[in-house]
Coordinates of all heavy atoms in Angstrom, one line a residue:
M1 N 23.1 35.5 -3.9 CA 22.4 36.6 -4.6 C 21.7 36.1 -5.8 O 22.1 35.1 -6.4 CB 23.4 37.7 -5.0 CG 24.4 37.3 -6.1 SD 25.6 38.5 -6.6 CE 24.6 39.7 -7.5
K2 N 20.7 36.8 -6.2 CA 20.0 36.5 -7.5 C 20.5 37.3 -8.6 O 20.8 38.5 -8.5 CB 18.5 36.8 -7.3 CG 17.7 35.8 -6.5 CD 17.3 34.6 -7.3 CE 16.1 33.9 -6.7 NZ 16.5 33.0 -5.6
K3 N 20.7 36.7 -9.8 CA 21.2 37.4 -10.9 C 20.2 37.1 -12.0 O 19.7 36.0 -12.2 CB 22.6 36.8 -11.3 CG 23.1 37.3 -12.7 CD 23.4 38.8 -12.7 CE 23.9 39.2 -14.0 NZ 24.0 40.7 -14.1
T4 N 19.8 38.2 -12.7 CA 19.0 38.0 -13.9 C 19.9 38.1 -15.1 O 20.6 39.1 -15.4 CB 17.9 39.2 -14.0 OG1 17.1 39.1 -12.8 CG2 17.1 39.0 -15.2
C5 N 19.9 37.0 -15.9 CA 20.7 37.0 -17.1 C 20.3 38.1 -18.1 O 19.2 38.3 -18.4 CB 20.5 35.6 -17.8 SG 21.5 35.4 -19.2
S6 N 21.3 38.8 -18.5 CA 21.1 39.9 -19.4 C 20.7 39.4 -20.8 O 20.2 40.2 -21.6 CB 22.3 40.8 -19.5 OG 23.4 40.1 -19.9
D7 N 21.0 38.2 -21.1 CA 20.7 37.6 -22.4 C 19.3 37.0 -22.5 O 18.4 37.4 -23.2 CB 21.8 36.7 -22.8 CG 21.7 36.3 -24.3 OD1 21.1 37.1 -25.1 OD2 22.2 35.3 -24.7
C8 N 19.1 36.0 -21.6 CA 17.8 35.2 -21.7 C 16.9 35.5 -20.6 O 15.8 35.0 -20.6 CB 18.2 33.7 -21.7 SG 18.8 33.1 -20.1
K9 N 17.2 36.4 -19.7 CA 16.4 36.9 -18.6 C 16.0 35.9 -17.6 O 15.1 36.1 -16.8 CB 15.1 37.5 -19.2 CG 15.2 38.5 -20.3 CD 16.1 39.7 -19.9 CE 16.3 40.7 -21.0 NZ 17.4 41.6 -20.8
T10 N 16.7 34.8 -17.6 CA 16.5 33.8 -16.5 C 17.1 34.3 -15.2 O 18.2 34.9 -15.2 CB 17.3 32.5 -16.9 OG1 16.7 32.0 -18.1 CG2 17.2 31.5 -15.8
R11 N 16.3 34.2 -14.1 CA 16.9 34.5 -12.8 C 17.5 33.2 -12.2 O 16.8 32.2 -12.2 CB 15.8 35.0 -11.9 CG 15.5 36.5 -12.2 CD 14.3 37.0 -11.4 NE 14.7 37.1 -9.9 CZ 15.3 38.1 -9.4 NH1 15.8 39.1 -10.2 NH2 15.6 38.2 -8.1
F12 N 18.7 33.4 -11.8 CA 19.3 32.2 -11.1 C 20.1 32.7 -9.9 O 20.4 33.8 -9.7 CB 20.2 31.5 -12.1 CG 21.4 32.3 -12.7 CD1 22.6 32.3 -12.2 CD2 21.1 33.1 -13.8 CE1 23.7 33.0 -12.8 CE2 22.1 33.9 -14.4 CZ 23.4 33.8 -13.9
E13 N 20.3 31.7 -9.0 CA 20.9 31.9 -7.7 C 22.4 31.8 -7.9 O 22.9 30.8 -8.4 CB 20.4 31.0 -6.7 CG 20.9 31.1 -5.3 CD 20.5 32.4 -4.6 OE1 19.4 32.9 -4.9 OE2 21.3 32.9 -3.8
V14 N 23.2 32.7 -7.3 CA 24.6 32.6 -7.3 C 25.1 32.6 -5.9 O 24.7 33.5 -5.1 CB 25.3 33.8 -8.0 CG1 26.8 33.7 -8.0 CG2 24.8 33.9 -9.5
K15 N 25.8 31.5 -5.5 CA 26.2 31.4 -4.1 C 27.6 32.1 -4.0 O 28.6 31.6 -4.3 CB 26.3 29.9 -3.7 CG 25.0 29.2 -3.7 CD 25.0 28.0 -2.8 CE 23.7 27.2 -2.9 NZ 22.5 28.1 -2.8
L16 N 27.5 33.3 -3.4 CA 28.8 34.1 -3.3 C 29.8 33.4 -2.4 O 31.0 33.7 -2.5 CB 28.4 35.5 -2.8 CG 27.6 36.3 -3.8 CD1 27.2 37.6 -3.1 CD2 28.5 36.6 -5.0
E17 N 29.3 32.6 -1.5 CA 30.3 31.9 -0.6 C 31.1 30.9 -1.3 O 32.2 30.5 -0.8 CB 29.6 31.3 0.6 CG 28.6 30.2 0.3 CD 27.2 30.8 0.2 OE1 27.0 31.9 -0.2 OE2 26.2 30.1 0.5
D18 N 30.7 30.5 -2.5 CA 31.4 29.5 -3.3 C 32.4 30.1 -4.3 O 33.2 29.4 -4.9 CB 30.4 28.6 -4.1 CG 29.6 27.7 -3.1 OD1 30.0 27.6 -2.0 OD2 28.6 27.2 -3.6
I19 N 32.3 31.4 -4.5 CA 33.1 32.0 -5.6 C 33.8 33.3 -5.0 O 33.4 33.9 -4.0 CB 32.4 32.4 -6.9 CG1 31.2 33.3 -6.6 CG2 31.8 31.1 -7.5 CD1 30.5 33.8 -7.8
E20 N 34.9 33.6 -5.7 CA 35.7 34.8 -5.3 C 35.7 35.8 -6.4 O 35.4 35.4 -7.6 CB 37.1 34.4 -5.0 CG 37.2 33.4 -3.8 CD 38.7 33.0 -3.6 OE1 39.5 33.1 -4.5 OE2 39.0 32.6 -2.4
E21 N 36.2 37.0 -6.1 CA 36.3 38.0 -7.2 C 37.2 37.4 -8.3 O 38.2 36.8 -8.1 CB 37.0 39.2 -6.6 CG 37.1 40.3 -7.7 CD 37.6 41.6 -7.1 OE1 38.2 41.6 -6.0 OE2 37.3 42.7 -7.7
G22 N 36.7 37.6 -9.6 CA 37.4 37.1 -10.7 C 37.0 35.7 -11.2 O 37.3 35.3 -12.2
D23 N 36.2 35.0 -10.3 CA 35.7 33.7 -10.7 C 34.5 33.9 -11.7 O 33.9 34.9 -11.7 CB 35.2 32.9 -9.5 CG 36.3 32.3 -8.7 OD1 37.5 32.4 -9.2 OD2 36.1 31.7 -7.6
H24 N 34.3 32.8 -12.4 CA 33.2 32.8 -13.4 C 32.0 32.0 -13.0 O 32.2 31.0 -12.4 CB 33.8 32.3 -14.7 CG 34.9 33.1 -15.3 ND1 35.9 32.5 -16.1 CD2 35.3 34.4 -15.1 CE1 36.7 33.4 -16.4 NE2 36.4 34.6 -15.8
V25 N 30.9 32.5 -13.4 CA 29.6 31.7 -13.3 C 28.9 31.7 -14.6 O 29.1 32.7 -15.4 CB 28.7 32.2 -12.2 CG1 29.3 32.0 -10.8 CG2 28.2 33.6 -12.4
N26 N 28.2 30.7 -14.9 CA 27.5 30.6 -16.2 C 26.0 30.6 -16.0 O 25.5 29.9 -15.0 CB 27.9 29.3 -17.0 CG 29.3 29.4 -17.4 OD1 30.2 29.2 -16.7 ND2 29.5 29.8 -18.6
C27 N 25.3 31.2 -16.8 CA 23.8 31.2 -16.8 C 23.4 29.7 -17.1 O 23.9 29.1 -18.0 CB 23.3 32.1 -17.9 SG 21.5 31.9 -18.1
P28 N 22.5 29.2 -16.2 CA 22.1 27.8 -16.4 C 21.3 27.6 -17.7 O 21.2 26.4 -18.2 CB 21.2 27.5 -15.2 CG 20.8 28.8 -14.7 CD 21.9 29.8 -15.1
E29 N 20.7 28.6 -18.2 CA 19.9 28.5 -19.4 C 20.7 28.6 -20.7 O 20.7 27.8 -21.6 CB 18.8 29.5 -19.4 CG 17.6 29.2 -18.5 CD 16.9 27.9 -18.9 OE1 16.7 27.7 -20.1 OE2 16.6 27.1 -18.0
C30 N 21.4 29.7 -20.9 CA 22.0 30.0 -22.2 C 23.6 29.9 -22.0 O 24.3 30.1 -23.0 CB 21.7 31.4 -22.7 SG 22.3 32.8 -21.7
N31 N 24.1 29.6 -20.8 CA 25.5 29.4 -20.6 C 26.3 30.7 -20.8 O 27.6 30.6 -20.9 CB 26.0 28.3 -21.5 CG 27.1 27.5 -20.8 OD1 27.0 27.2 -19.6 ND2 28.1 27.1 -21.6
L32 N 25.7 31.8 -20.8 CA 26.5 33.1 -20.8 C 27.3 33.2 -19.6 O 26.9 32.9 -18.5 CB 25.5 34.2 -20.9 CG 26.1 35.6 -21.1 CD1 26.8 35.7 -22.5 CD2 25.0 36.7 -21.0
E33 N 28.6 33.6 -19.8 CA 29.5 33.6 -18.7 C 29.6 34.9 -18.1 O 29.7 36.0 -18.8 CB 30.9 33.1 -19.2 CG 31.9 32.9 -18.1 CD 33.3 32.5 -18.6 OE1 34.0 33.4 -19.0 OE2 33.6 31.3 -18.6
Y34 N 29.6 34.9 -16.7 CA 29.7 36.2 -16.0 C 31.0 36.1 -15.1 O 31.4 35.0 -14.7 CB 28.5 36.4 -15.0 CG 27.3 36.7 -15.8 CD1 26.4 35.6 -16.2 CD2 26.9 38.0 -16.1 CE1 25.3 35.9 -16.9 CE2 25.8 38.2 -16.8 CZ 25.0 37.2 -17.2 OH 23.8 37.4 -17.9
T35 N 31.6 37.2 -14.8 CA 32.7 37.3 -13.9 C 32.3 38.1 -12.6 O 31.6 39.2 -12.8 CB 33.9 38.0 -14.5 OG1 34.2 37.3 -15.7 CG2 35.1 38.0 -13.6
L36 N 32.6 37.6 -11.5 CA 32.3 38.3 -10.2 C 33.3 39.4 -10.0 O 34.5 39.2 -10.0 CB 32.3 37.4 -9.0 CG 32.0 38.0 -7.7 CD1 30.5 38.5 -7.6 CD2 32.3 37.1 -6.5
I37 N 32.9 40.6 -9.8 CA 33.7 41.8 -9.5 C 33.1 42.5 -8.3 O 32.0 42.3 -8.0 CB 33.9 42.7 -10.7 CG1 32.6 43.4 -11.1 CG2 34.6 42.0 -11.8 CD1 32.8 44.6 -12.0
Y38 N 33.9 43.3 -7.7 CA 33.4 44.2 -6.6 C 33.5 45.7 -7.1 O 34.6 46.1 -7.7 CB 34.2 44.0 -5.3 CG 33.8 42.7 -4.7 CD1 34.5 41.6 -4.9 CD2 32.7 42.7 -3.8 CE1 34.1 40.4 -4.4 CE2 32.3 41.5 -3.2 CZ 33.0 40.4 -3.5 OH 32.7 39.2 -2.9
D39 N 32.5 46.4 -7.0 CA 32.5 47.8 -7.5 C 33.2 48.7 -6.4 O 33.6 48.2 -5.4 CB 31.1 48.3 -7.9 CG 30.2 48.4 -6.7 OD1 30.6 48.4 -5.5 OD2 29.0 48.6 -7.0
S40 N 33.2 50.0 -6.7 CA 33.9 50.9 -5.8 C 33.3 51.0 -4.4 O 33.9 51.4 -3.4 CB 34.0 52.3 -6.4 OG 32.7 52.7 -6.8
N41 N 32.1 50.6 -4.2 CA 31.4 50.5 -2.9 C 31.6 49.2 -2.2 O 31.1 49.0 -1.1 CB 29.9 50.8 -3.1 CG 29.6 52.1 -3.6 OD1 30.3 53.1 -3.3 ND2 28.7 52.2 -4.6
G42 N 32.4 48.3 -2.8 CA 32.6 47.0 -2.2 C 31.4 46.1 -2.4 O 31.3 45.0 -1.8
K43 N 30.5 46.4 -3.3 CA 29.3 45.6 -3.6 C 29.6 44.7 -4.7 O 30.2 45.1 -5.8 CB 28.2 46.6 -4.0 CG 26.9 45.9 -4.3 CD 26.0 45.9 -3.1 CE 24.6 45.3 -3.5 NZ 24.4 44.0 -2.8
E44 N 29.2 43.4 -4.5 CA 29.5 42.4 -5.6 C 28.6 42.6 -6.8 O 27.5 43.0 -6.7 CB 29.3 41.0 -5.0 CG 28.0 40.7 -4.6 CD 27.7 41.1 -3.1 OE1 28.6 41.6 -2.4 OE2 26.5 41.0 -2.7
K45 N 29.2 42.4 -8.0 CA 28.5 42.5 -9.2 C 28.9 41.4 -10.1 O 30.0 41.0 -10.1 CB 28.8 43.9 -9.9 CG 28.2 45.1 -9.3 CD 28.7 46.3 -10.0 CE 28.4 46.4 -11.5 NZ 28.8 47.7 -12.0
L46 N 27.9 40.9 -10.9 CA 28.3 40.0 -11.9 C 28.2 40.7 -13.3 O 27.1 41.2 -13.7 CB 27.3 38.8 -11.9 CG 27.5 37.8 -10.8 CD1 26.3 36.9 -10.6 CD2 28.8 37.0 -11.0
V47 N 29.3 40.7 -14.0 CA 29.4 41.4 -15.3 C 29.7 40.3 -16.3 O 30.5 39.4 -16.1 CB 30.5 42.4 -15.2 CG1 30.7 43.1 -16.5 CG2 30.3 43.4 -14.1
E48 N 29.1 40.5 -17.5 CA 29.3 39.5 -18.6 C 30.8 39.5 -18.9 O 31.4 40.5 -19.0 CB 28.6 39.9 -19.8 CG 27.1 39.7 -19.7 CD 26.4 40.3 -21.0 OE1 26.8 40.0 -22.1 OE2 25.5 41.1 -20.8
T49 N 31.4 38.3 -18.9 CA 32.8 38.2 -19.1 C 33.2 38.9 -20.5 O 34.3 39.5 -20.6 CB 33.2 36.7 -19.2 OG1 32.9 36.1 -17.9 CG2 34.7 36.5 -19.4
K50 N 32.4 38.7 -21.5 CA 32.8 39.3 -22.8 C 32.8 40.9 -22.7 O 33.6 41.5 -23.4 CB 31.8 38.9 -23.9 CG 30.4 39.3 -23.7 CD 29.5 38.7 -24.8 CE 28.1 39.2 -24.6 NZ 27.2 38.5 -25.5
V51 N 32.0 41.5 -21.8 CA 32.0 42.9 -21.6 C 33.3 43.3 -20.9 O 34.0 44.3 -21.3 CB 30.8 43.4 -20.8 CG1 30.9 44.8 -20.4 CG2 29.5 43.1 -21.6
L52 N 33.7 42.6 -19.9 CA 35.0 42.8 -19.2 C 36.1 42.7 -20.2 O 37.0 43.6 -20.2 CB 35.2 41.8 -18.1 CG 34.4 42.1 -16.8 CD1 34.7 41.0 -15.8 CD2 34.7 43.4 -16.2
E53 N 36.1 41.7 -21.1 CA 37.2 41.5 -22.0 C 37.3 42.7 -23.0 O 38.4 43.1 -23.4 CB 37.1 40.2 -22.7 CG 37.5 39.1 -21.8 CD 37.3 37.7 -22.4 OE1 36.6 37.6 -23.4 OE2 37.7 36.7 -21.7
M54 N 36.2 43.2 -23.4 CA 36.2 44.3 -24.3 C 36.7 45.6 -23.6 O 37.5 46.3 -24.3 CB 34.7 44.6 -24.7 CG 34.3 43.9 -26.0 SD 32.7 44.5 -26.6 CE 31.6 43.4 -25.7
E55 N 36.4 45.8 -22.4 CA 36.9 47.0 -21.7 C 38.4 46.8 -21.4 O 39.1 47.8 -21.2 CB 36.2 47.1 -20.3 CG 34.8 47.6 -20.5 CD 34.0 47.5 -19.1 OE1 34.6 47.0 -18.2 OE2 32.9 48.0 -19.1
D56 N 38.9 45.6 -21.3 CA 40.2 45.3 -20.8 C 41.2 44.9 -21.8 O 42.2 44.2 -21.5 CB 40.0 44.2 -19.7 CG 41.2 44.1 -18.8 OD1 41.8 45.1 -18.5 OD2 41.5 43.0 -18.4
D57 N 40.9 45.1 -23.1 CA 41.7 44.5 -24.1 C 43.0 45.3 -24.5 O 43.6 44.9 -25.5 CB 40.8 44.2 -25.3 CG 40.4 45.4 -26.1 OD1 40.7 46.5 -25.6 OD2 39.7 45.3 -27.1
E58 N 43.3 46.3 -23.8 CA 44.5 47.1 -24.1 C 45.8 46.2 -24.0 O 46.7 46.4 -24.8 CB 44.6 48.3 -23.2 CG 43.6 49.4 -23.6 CD 43.5 50.4 -22.5 OE1 44.5 50.9 -22.0 OE2 42.3 50.7 -22.1
D59 N 45.8 45.4 -23.0 CA 47.0 44.6 -22.8 C 47.2 43.5 -23.8 O 48.2 43.2 -24.2 CB 46.9 43.9 -21.4 CG 46.9 44.9 -20.3 OD1 47.4 46.0 -20.5 OD2 46.5 44.6 -19.2
E60 N 46.0 42.8 -24.1 CA 46.2 41.5 -24.8 C 45.3 41.5 -26.0 O 44.8 40.4 -26.4 CB 45.8 40.4 -23.8 CG 44.5 40.6 -23.1 CD 44.2 39.5 -22.1 OE1 44.9 38.4 -22.2 OE2 43.3 39.6 -21.2
D61 N 45.1 42.6 -26.7 CA 44.3 42.5 -27.9 C 45.0 41.8 -29.0 O 44.3 41.2 -29.8 CB 43.9 43.9 -28.4 CG 45.0 44.9 -28.5 OD1 46.2 44.5 -28.1 OD2 44.8 46.0 -29.1
D62 N 46.3 41.7 -29.0 CA 47.0 40.9 -30.1 C 46.6 39.5 -30.1 O 46.3 38.9 -31.1 CB 48.5 41.0 -29.9 CG 49.0 42.4 -30.3 OD1 48.2 43.2 -30.9 OD2 50.2 42.7 -29.9
N63 N 46.5 38.9 -28.9 CA 46.2 37.5 -28.8 C 44.7 37.3 -29.2 O 44.5 36.3 -30.0 CB 46.2 37.0 -27.3 CG 47.7 37.0 -26.8 OD1 48.6 37.0 -27.6 ND2 47.8 37.1 -25.5
E64 N 43.8 38.1 -28.8 CA 42.4 37.9 -29.2 C 42.3 38.0 -30.7 O 41.6 37.2 -31.3 CB 41.6 39.1 -28.6 CG 41.5 39.1 -27.1 CD 40.6 38.0 -26.6 OE1 39.7 37.6 -27.2 OE2 40.9 37.5 -25.5
Y65 N 43.0 38.9 -31.3 CA 42.7 39.1 -32.8 C 43.4 38.0 -33.6 O 42.9 37.6 -34.6 CB 43.2 40.5 -33.2 CG 42.2 41.5 -32.9 CD1 42.4 42.5 -31.9 CD2 40.9 41.5 -33.5 CE1 41.5 43.4 -31.5 CE2 40.0 42.5 -33.1 CZ 40.2 43.4 -32.1 OH 39.3 44.3 -31.8
S66 N 44.6 37.5 -33.1 CA 45.2 36.5 -33.9 C 44.4 35.2 -33.9 O 44.4 34.5 -34.8 CB 46.7 36.2 -33.4 OG 46.7 35.9 -32.0
D67 N 43.7 34.9 -32.7 CA 42.8 33.8 -32.7 C 41.7 34.0 -33.8 O 41.4 33.0 -34.5 CB 42.1 33.7 -31.4 CG 42.9 32.9 -30.4 OD1 44.0 32.4 -30.8 OD2 42.5 32.8 -29.2
Y68 N 41.2 35.2 -33.9 CA 40.1 35.4 -34.8 C 40.6 35.3 -36.3 O 39.9 34.7 -37.1 CB 39.7 36.9 -34.6 CG 38.2 37.1 -34.6 CD1 37.4 36.8 -33.5 CD2 37.6 37.4 -35.8 CE1 36.1 36.9 -33.5 CE2 36.2 37.6 -35.8 CZ 35.4 37.3 -34.7 OH 34.1 37.4 -34.7
D69 N 41.8 35.7 -36.6 CA 42.3 35.7 -37.9 C 42.4 34.2 -38.4 O 42.2 34.0 -39.6 CB 43.7 36.3 -38.0 CG 43.5 37.8 -38.0 OD1 42.4 38.3 -38.3 OD2 44.6 38.5 -37.8
S70 N 42.8 33.3 -37.5 CA 43.0 31.9 -38.0 C 41.7 31.3 -38.5 O 41.7 30.4 -39.3 CB 43.6 31.1 -36.8 OG 42.7 31.0 -35.8
Y71 N 40.6 31.8 -38.1 CA 39.3 31.3 -38.6 C 39.1 31.7 -40.1 O 38.4 31.1 -40.9 CB 38.1 31.8 -37.9 CG 38.0 31.2 -36.5 CD1 38.3 31.8 -35.3 CD2 37.5 29.8 -36.5 CE1 38.1 31.2 -34.1 CE2 37.4 29.2 -35.2 CZ 37.7 29.9 -34.1 OH 37.5 29.3 -32.9
N72 N 39.7 32.8 -40.5 CA 39.5 33.4 -41.8 C 40.5 32.7 -42.9 O 40.2 32.9 -44.0 CB 39.7 34.9 -41.8 CG 38.6 35.6 -41.0 OD1 37.5 35.1 -40.9 ND2 39.0 36.7 -40.4
D73 N 41.5 32.1 -42.4 CA 42.5 31.6 -43.3 C 41.9 30.4 -44.1 O 41.5 29.4 -43.5 CB 43.7 31.2 -42.6 CG 44.7 32.4 -42.5 OD1 44.5 33.3 -43.3 OD2 45.5 32.3 -41.6
Ligands
LIG101 ZN1 21.0 33.3 -19.9

């Protein structure tokens, strides 16, 4: 499938036969990381990993924030 990077607008080819749901691909231009997911219709989608982490941080927000804090010390 072709993916248009939401950051730098580069179009790049993603070989779905090489990756599985939950695998990551990176934009060849800006290195933005995407995660492959399947939506409710069973259609593959590439979503920015940082967006997924924001939606999904109820379980593990403590870890994320403690990493952040260490930069401020
Ligand atoms: Zn990009």
Side-chain angles (χ1 to χ4, degrees):
M1 68 184 285
K2 285 272 203 283
K3 170 68 182 171
T4 302
C5 180
S6 59
D7 193 23
C8 69
K9 310 302 182 196
T10 296
R11 279 176 71 80
F12 58 99
E13 179 70 30
V14 178
K15 294 204 184 315
L16 292 174
E17 61 267 33
D18 291 345
I19 60 173
E20 300 180 335
E21 184 173 21
D23 280 354
H24 299 155
V25 296
N26 291 82
C27 172
E29 283 299 317
C30 70
N31 215 38
L32 185 66
E33 188 180 81
Y34 293 91
T35 302
L36 180 70
I37 63 168
Y38 287 89
D39 69 14
S40 51
N41 298 317
K43 179 94 177 120
E44 63 276 355
K45 284 173 59 171
L46 284 167
V47 180
E48 288 173 52
T49 302
K50 65 184 180 187
V51 173
L52 283 178
E53 285 174 351
M54 269 188 272
E55 289 173 349
D56 196 33
D57 69 357
E58 287 164 49
D59 296 339
E60 50 183 344
D61 54 350
D62 287 346
N63 292 339
E64 296 286 329
Y65 283 110
S66 57
D67 274 356
Y68 223 82
D69 283 344
S70 63
Y71 286 107
N72 295 329
D73 274 339

